[in-house]
Amino acid sequence: MRAILAFLFFIFGSESSPVLAFIPRDGVAKNRPGTSLRLTEAEIPQVALTARADCVFWFFGASGAAGIARSAFPKMFNKYSTLQKLKDVGPTKGGEMLGINTLACGFPQDVSRADVQQVLNNPLSVDEIVEKFPVPEVYLASKGYLTADAFTQANVDANPLAVRAVFDTFATSTNMAHPQESQAKLDKYKENVEALKSDLFIAKILGLAAIVTLLFLLGIADIIAFTDVYHGWFPDWPGGESFPFGMLKPNGSPFKIPNYWI
């Protein structure tokens, strides 16, 4: 949506616009009797000027949020892809399965209860893992936070999928976890490994909800930004009414926007 808005500004928003160069002024006057293609500052309605100011806020605000989202989505996708590659990888003690919800949790297969128990019985505490397996390139790791890489190195002899199942209960959607909270969960799972299943499910659902919420908010910001562009620069364009269905109306095509530009 931001790319479309930027394209519209380039095409229609300057005196040297390649589109405007091919639009005869007489033709515009016929479509909009008594109105020129360009209005002076004094002729532009106050509601349009307000919409233009609001557009700047929403456009750049949405762009900033989208930048954060763009940097997060590849990481989440890589995390998911890496998880899928752990199917049937590494040693396993076999036996009874833990019974996690593989579909909701995004796991390629269930994990062995004995494999999970091996991870939980690691004699190293979270603080000792952080100290023994530093990740200097990660700032928070240097401040005592537990990383997925450090936790994996500390359990190198365990089943990789079981290691990931335990760690993912610590962190909702990242590869970083608070050390005290992680230790508290490890202690809880040692007493009741069944608690890991529900915590893993909740962590995955919260991560998914965060993604959906972010996409929803970005969509709302995009809609508001486009609405302000519509009211600020071409408020009489028929296509803007009941958008996007308004584009089906006569003269509702986006290519007709120059005829309604103020």
Side-chain angles (χ1 to χ4, degrees), residues 239-253:
E241 301 174 6
S242 303
F243 183 86
F245 304 105
M247 292 192 297
L248 300 176
K249 297 179 180 181
N251 295 322
S253 168

Side-chain angles (χ1 to χ4, degrees), residues 87-143:
K87 182 177 181 179
D88 298 324
V89 172
T92 178
K93 294 182 178 299
E96 182 186 359
M97 295 291 107
L98 185 60
I100 64 174
N101 189 325
T102 56
L103 179 62
C105 296
F107 272 55
Q109 63 187 38
D110 202 352
V111 293
S112 165
R113 184 182 296 269
D115 289 339
V116 171
Q117 203 66 56
Q118 180 182 356
V119 177
L120 299 178
N121 291 335
N122 190 318
L124 295 176
S125 67
V126 170
D127 288 336
E128 290 172 338
I129 291 175
V130 172
E131 182 178 357
K132 187 174 182 179
F133 304 99
V135 186
E137 63 272 16
V138 179
Y139 174 74
L140 287 178
S142 64
K143 298 300 181 181

Side-chain angles (χ1 to χ4, degrees), residues 204-223:
K204 293 297 184 178
I205 293 300
L206 289 176
L208 179 61
I211 296 173
V212 172
T213 301
L214 178 59
L215 290 176
F216 175 77
L217 293 177
L218 287 175
I220 292 295
D222 283 340
I223 291 172

Side-chain angles (χ1 to χ4, degrees), residues 122-195:
N122 190 318
L124 295 176
S125 67
V126 170
D127 288 336
E128 290 172 338
I129 291 175
V130 172
E131 182 178 357
K132 187 174 182 179
F133 304 99
V135 186
E137 63 272 16
V138 179
Y139 174 74
L140 287 178
S142 64
K143 298 300 181 181
Y145 274 69
L146 177 66
T147 65
D149 289 341
F151 194 70
T152 300
Q153 292 179 59
N155 294 280
V156 67
D157 295 328
N159 180 268
L161 197 59
V163 174
R164 192 73 225 192
V166 175
F167 184 85
D168 281 357
T169 64
F170 306 156
T172 301
S173 58
T174 66
N175 285 321
M176 195 80 55
H178 192 280
Q180 280 73 40
E181 294 178 1
S182 302
Q183 186 63 60
K185 287 189 175 183
L186 280 175
D187 295 338
K188 180 175 71 171
Y189 302 151
K190 288 179 182 179
E191 297 179 0
N192 178 21
V193 70
E194 291 294 321

Side-chain angles (χ1 to χ4, degrees), residues 17-91:
S17 165
V19 170
L20 294 182
F22 292 97
I23 298 176
R25 299 280 176 154
D26 290 340
V28 172
K30 290 179 182 179
N31 288 327
R32 301 192 62 200
T35 305
S36 63
L37 183 65
R38 296 284 178 168
L39 301 181
T40 64
E41 187 78 12
E43 293 173 323
I44 298 177
Q46 182 58 45
V47 65
L49 294 176
T50 301
R52 292 183 181 187
D54 291 343
C55 172
V56 173
F57 171 80
W58 286 106
F59 181 80
F60 287 104
S63 297
I68 297 175
R70 281 193 295 269
S71 65
F73 288 146
K75 295 178 182 178
M76 288 186 286
F77 179 77
N78 289 337
K79 180 180 177 180
Y80 175 80
S81 299
T82 301
L83 188 62
Q84 301 309 304
K85 295 176 182 178
L86 295 180
K87 182 177 181 179
D88 298 324
V89 172

